[in-house]
Amino acid sequence: MSNIESVLVENRVFPPSEQAVKSARISGMEAYNALCDEANKDFEGFWARLARDNLVWTKPFTKTLDESKAPFYEWFEDGELNASANCLDKHIGTPTENKTAIVFEADDGAVTRVSYKELLGRVSQFANALKAQGIKKGDRVIIYVPMSIEGVVAMQACARIGATHSVVFGGFSAKALNERIIDAGAVAVITANYQMRGGKEMPLKAIVDEGIAMGGCDTLKTVLVFMRTPTTCGMTAGRDKTFTEVLQGQPSECRPEAVGAEHPLFILYTSGSTGKPKGVQHSTGGYLLWAKLTMDWTFDIKPSDVFWCTADIGWITGHTYVAYGPLAAGATQVIFEGIPTYPSAGRFWQMIEKHKVTVFYTAPTAIRSLIKAAEGDEKIHPARYDLTSLRILGTVGEPINPEAWMWYHKHVGGERCPIVDTWWQTETGGHMITPLPGATPTVPGSCTLPLPGIMAAIVDDLGKDLPHGDGGILVIKRPWPSMIRTIWGDPERYKASYYPPELGGKLYLAGDAAARSADRGYFRIGGRIDDVLNVSGHRLGTMEIESALVSKTDLVAEAAVVGRPDDLTGEAVCAFVVLKRSRPTGDEAKQIANELRNWVAKEIGPIAKPKDIRFGDNLPKTRSGKIMRRLLRSIAKGEAITQDTSTLENPAILEQLAEKL
């Protein structure tokens, strides 16, 4: 598609269908604007009404928003509730109790269905098992498991007893796990012996053991192991127990522990612009409210829907739109263990047909990879499958390019399904800017307008509002219930990262560049303004990857990491490396590059592997020693260097670094 065609696609407007408008909770732009007006006129009253209407409180709140300790905002602070009770117990005694809560499809295609009543029993039994291990309200528990019913049960069981969970994505390394155990002060790890991915058995328990062996995990007392496969794994006597052992004899009833609305429901670690991952802390009341509301608003979820969010529970999308939101909304959801390309790249379409999925939510990276596969093999093209059950499509994790949007709209949605292109972050807890399927006219490549109550804006470097049409920094002007409360154990970093003094200390800094269209005021998200990359929807700190590279002390003297655009992953990791020996070329350079990629995978995880590695005798630095990253970004993109290089210590180095392996 040419650039001119791309612009034409971007300027196309797709109004919601008559059917979507007719049946939606928020029906038409008038209804959307009415909710926005309510929030503008009585901000606290708006949120208080929604919190009372959507959550079950064991102790009603009397205070809605406390701004006295800004930016450490508190919502519904004197109220009490339980997240698990709001996801499970509230459905008991209603027709929903016998409804299917989870349709789980394993890597090999085996399907398990669990009703809400059955899920409550499993969660309660596991909660009792946790208590029997001495785990209590306020304790932190690491969860390092495959996509599974057991993963959701573990998260819900922690919430049920008031323990704070921290889920670690199953692709992360032993070192990453070790760092999170130590930072959270975790008393337990819940894991599995192995996980199944693409027909392959991949270790988890062995990685846990390796992480613990690195030392510093002094708070850790217990490791609970789900035996996902028959293959045995190492078990440490006195510390390690299987699920079967700890569940033996435990009753399937457990009273949910009432906690304050501000009680930490979970900590989720995300990459920042410095090497150390940030423990994003979320509350119970505000987070759960937004998880439930966005299921209702963005996905217009109905009792008859079969909802499928393809995200892993190790990411925020899997927290909000797998573990909590769908259950709080009483929805039937699909959970998938495997990968979209096994046993063929038609797996997603086959599953939509098989389970009659009505609302499908996935990442642009997945869509782009499946476009490529479908164009190469017509047997796995979406047109070969019956996708008529679909009524709403969604995208998450990164902006979707207009060409992929159009393919998704045409070939998956049959040109009839609204696409909700959602912008949000780990820190926001749920959707912030997104079309509403029964209200918002959509434009390919734009996440359109903020949800009611979300005061988003584009400002300059000093926090001054910019007119529509000008690009700037995306900020949120007022707090919202599901927002990050702090960085675990580091409140000063929280203030500096999200409420920087240069913006006045009162604007939430999202870290993304953005612009609003001059005609409709629609938001279009650009790249990060900090040193954070977005690779396949996963945030990776450049400093984190650089630190991993230079920790290879026998080989690497210095490294710098930048991002470059990538057709498949959105952004690719590009590393510029100076070795402690002469600069390699040819096959030797390729061999060392592969060694470094594997090292990064071991230190952080496979998702952080640099796609490009270039070697130089040194890095482009000013005479004061500062690495000129803007030059490296241009080199990574294959652009001609037009910037001033007169301040470089060694301008000739640019030719070396431009050489691809």
Side-chain angles (χ1 to χ4, degrees):
M1 185 175 283
S2 70
N3 289 336
I4 294 175
E5 288 173 319
S6 295
V7 171
L8 290 174
V9 168
E10 289 184 21
N11 290 334
R12 287 187 65 183
V13 178
F14 294 81
S17 68
E18 288 184 19
Q19 180 58 37
V21 174
K22 184 178 179 182
S23 64
R25 276 183 178 80
I26 300 179
S27 176
M29 289 303 289
E30 285 186 12
Y32 165 78
N33 289 327
L35 282 169
C36 292
D37 289 343
E38 180 188 353
N40 288 330
K41 290 173 183 174
D42 182 8
F43 190 69
E44 290 192 31
F46 170 79
W47 290 114
R49 175 181 70 79
L50 292 172
R52 292 188 180 107
D53 289 350
N54 286 275
L55 297 179
V56 177
W57 298 85
T58 53
K59 179 188 173 189
F61 61 90
T62 63
K63 303 174 188 175
T64 302
L65 171 62
D66 183 354
E67 301 184 76
S68 64
K69 293 175 276 190
F72 300 94
Y73 300 101
E74 294 183 341
W75 286 87
F76 322 118
E77 176 266 331
D78 61 342
E80 293 184 357
L81 74 168
N82 181 274
S84 177
N86 270 274
C87 292
L88 301 172
D89 302 59
K90 75 174 184 182
H91 302 303
I92 304 305
T94 76
T96 306
E97 76 172 4
N98 293 314
K99 178 181 177 179
T100 298
I102 295 172
V103 179
F104 173 68
E105 180 159 321
D107 187 64
D108 65 0
V111 174
T112 305
R113 290 178 171 81
V114 179
S115 72
Y116 272 88
K117 189 173 183 178
E118 291 167 337
L119 186 60
L120 173 59
R122 290 178 64 165
V123 168
S124 297
Q125 189 180 35
F126 198 77
N128 285 326
L130 293 179
K131 290 197 292 185
Q133 301 305 310
I135 299 167
K136 60 188 185 304
K137 178 179 176 180
D139 285 341
R140 275 81 63 201
V141 176
I142 297 287
I143 300 175
Y144 186 64
V145 296
M147 276 299 285
S148 56
I149 297 171
E150 286 74 16
V152 174
V153 166
M155 295 168 77
Q156 287 280 338
C158 286
R160 195 164 192 83
I161 66 172
T164 299
H165 63 68
S166 184
V167 184
V168 179
F169 173 57
F172 276 138
S173 68
K175 183 180 177 185
L177 190 64
N178 171 270
E179 291 170 346
R180 286 153 176 77
I181 293 170
I182 294 170
D183 192 71
V187 302
V189 172
I190 300 170
T191 188
N193 62 339
Y194 289 88
Q195 61 178 334
M196 294 300 301
R197 301 277 290 174
K200 297 176 182 176
E201 198 176 47
M202 303 174 71
L204 287 178
K205 175 59 164 58
I207 295 172
V208 172
D209 291 341
E210 184 184 346
I212 296 170
M214 290 176 176
C217 304
D218 302 331
T219 56
L220 188 68
K221 307 298 181 191
T222 306
V223 177
L224 303 181
V225 185
F226 163 51
M227 302 303 289
R228 168 62 185 89
T229 72
T231 309
T232 58
C233 63
M235 299 288 283
T236 299
R239 186 196 70 186
D240 302 350
K241 297 172 184 174
T242 67
F243 277 28
T244 303
E245 288 177 75
V246 298
L247 290 171
Q248 186 88 30
Q250 294 296 341
S252 57
E253 292 182 5
C254 176
R255 181 182 62 82
E257 180 79 29
V259 299
E262 283 297 315
H263 178 78
L265 178 62
F266 64 87
I267 304 163
L268 188 55
Y269 287 86
T270 186
S271 292
S273 55
T274 61
K276 183 183 177 184
K278 298 180 291 189
V280 173
Q281 179 182 318
H282 274 290
S283 72
T284 298
Y287 169 80
L288 196 64
L289 170 63
W290 203 226
K292 165 67 167 59
L293 273 176
T294 48
M295 285 295 300
D296 289 346
W297 289 357
T298 309
F299 298 122
D300 189 39
I301 209 73
K302 302 181 186 306
S304 58
D305 277 321
V306 176
F307 175 78
W308 183 17
C309 168
T310 66
D312 191 282
I313 55 172
W315 308 111
I316 187 63
T317 306
H319 279 55
T320 308
Y321 301 110
V322 177
Y324 288 106
L327 299 177
T332 293
Q333 69 167 318
V334 173
I335 294 180
F336 176 44
E337 179 182 36
I339 58 176
T341 54
Y342 176 80
S344 78
R347 184 71 179 266
F348 274 7
W349 322 133
Q350 177 198 33
M351 287 180 61
I352 291 169
E353 178 182 77
K354 178 178 175 181
H355 300 300
K356 303 298 180 190
V357 173
T358 60
V359 182
F360 181 60
Y361 191 39
T362 196
T365 298
I367 296 167
R368 287 191 292 266
S369 68
L370 296 174
I371 291 173
K372 186 176 180 181
E375 288 176 348
D377 184 353
E378 65 174 20
K379 294 195 295 293
I380 53 173
H381 194 282
R384 292 284 186 146
Y385 300 84
D386 181 1
L387 306 182
T388 54
S389 61
L390 289 169
R391 67 180 191 90
I392 294 173
L393 301 175
T395 69
V396 60
E398 58 184 308
I400 182 170
N401 54 303
E403 296 87 349
W405 194 103
M406 289 298 297
W407 187 91
Y408 196 34
H409 171 70
K410 179 179 179 180
H411 296 292
V412 181
E415 298 184 325
R416 71 183 188 284
C417 298
I419 296 178
V420 289
D421 173 3
T422 61
W423 176 84
W424 59 296
Q425 303 174 306
T426 303
E427 294 88 345
T428 70
H431 305 150
M432 299 291 279
I433 306 175
T434 177
L436 296 174
T440 319
T442 53
V443 172
S446 170
C447 52
T448 70
L449 297 170
L451 287 171
I454 303 303
M455 311 303 182
I458 309 293
V459 301
D460 64 16
D461 290 343
L462 298 176
K464 181 183 175 183
D465 283 295
L466 291 173
H468 291 183
D470 286 3
I473 299 167
L474 178 59
V475 298
I476 312 296
K477 290 191 165 185
R478 295 216 61 182
W480 64 100
S482 67
M483 67 187 295
I484 176 178
R485 293 308 195 258
T486 188
I487 293 173
W488 180 262
D490 200 345
E492 290 305 313
R493 188 180 180 192
Y494 164 72
K495 286 196 291 185
S497 297
Y498 301 107
Y499 288 90
E502 56 267 31
L503 295 182
K506 293 185 177 179
L507 299 176
Y508 170 84
L509 176 64
D512 286 329
R516 299 190 75 169
S517 63
D519 53 354
R520 295 173 177 268
Y522 277 11
F523 284 78
R524 190 178 300 278
I525 308 300
R528 297 286 299 176
I529 61 171
D530 54 15
D531 291 325
V532 175
L533 310 182
N534 190 330
V535 181
S536 298
H538 307 319
R539 278 164 54 179
L540 299 170
T542 57
M543 282 288 293
E544 201 174 353
I545 303 170
E546 287 171 12
S547 297
L549 286 165
V550 298
S551 71
K552 181 73 171 162
T553 54
D554 62 322
L555 189 61
V556 177
E558 197 172 15
V561 169
V562 299
R564 67 162 176 78
D566 185 86
D567 289 342
L568 185 61
T569 59
E571 201 166 15
V573 178
C574 188
F576 297 88
V577 177
V578 178
L579 299 179
K580 289 183 174 179
R581 37 146 295 177
S582 60
R583 174 174 171 262
T585 57
D587 290 341
E588 184 187 21
K590 292 177 182 177
Q591 180 184 344
I592 294 174
N594 285 333
E595 183 180 348
L596 292 177
R597 287 189 185 96
N598 292 334
W599 177 261
V600 171
K602 182 176 180 294
E603 290 291 292
I604 302 173
I607 56 170
K609 279 184 176 183
K611 191 162 190 177
D612 298 341
I613 294 183
R614 317 235 183 135
F615 296 103
D617 291 329
N618 49 54
L619 296 174
K621 296 180 183 178
T622 63
R623 290 178 179 85
S624 63
K626 182 180 179 182
I627 297 172
M628 297 186 71
R629 292 174 189 277
R630 61 185 172 84
L631 295 179
L632 294 179
R633 291 188 187 99
S634 293
I635 292 170
K637 293 176 186 176
E639 298 172 344
I641 301 295
T642 58
Q643 302 103 310
D644 178 24
T645 60
S646 61
T647 59
L648 273 184
E649 187 179 42
N650 179 12
I653 200 66
L654 299 179
E655 289 184 20
Q656 276 188 5
L657 296 174
E659 292 180 19
K660 295 181 180 180
L661 296 186

